[in-house]
Amino acid sequence: MKNFFYLEGAYLMIGLFALLITLYVSTRPFMSKGALKKGIFWVSLVIAVMVGTHYFITTKRMKQVRVAFEKDLPILCESRASRIVSQTVIVQKSKSWTLQEDNFISPYYTRPFFTARCIVK
């Protein structure tokens, strides 16, 4: 859970925006009396399920990447530093990469690569 707000922060903000829209629409005079409770409940439920599912899938992939790194398998990481050339970097333990917490670090790259943005090749 230490990375929950880091991984899901943007989706939580989008969900909050959707809840505010639901609150505004469900309090209009043309809506029925129970629209506010029903609307907030169902939109909150959908957002919670979607954010929870995304978090579960992302953390599962992060675990797979860590295991593959320990087995010295090639891992593809998204490089946002340069969009002109290759957008992926191949990370491998035998190529002087290290794993510090959830970041891949190499002496040949100036920035770390977060494991949530990587997949096993």
Side-chain angles (χ1 to χ4, degrees), residues 29-106:
F30 56 83
M31 297 298 288
S32 65
K33 277 194 173 210
L36 177 62
K37 286 182 183 178
K38 290 177 187 174
I40 295 294
F41 172 76
W42 286 108
V43 171
S44 298
L45 182 67
V46 168
I47 291 168
V49 167
M50 291 174 75
V51 167
T53 302
H54 182 264
Y55 179 73
F56 174 75
I57 290 170
T58 302
T59 54
K60 184 178 175 184
R61 186 178 66 245
M62 289 169 69
K63 288 176 188 171
Q64 291 172 344
V65 165
R66 279 190 217 104
V67 168
F69 181 74
E70 292 303 321
K71 293 180 179 178
D72 200 30
L73 297 174
I75 298 166
L76 299 176
C77 290
E78 177 184 26
S79 176
R80 294 182 177 178
S82 177
R83 294 286 185 183
I84 298 169
V85 288
S86 176
Q87 293 183 350
T88 59
V89 174
I90 297 176
V91 173
Q92 224 169 342
K93 195 173 192 176
S94 62
K95 295 181 180 175
S96 72
W97 285 91
T98 59
L99 182 61
Q100 296 176 359
E101 293 187 15
D102 289 324
N103 293 306
F104 290 117
I105 310 258
S106 173

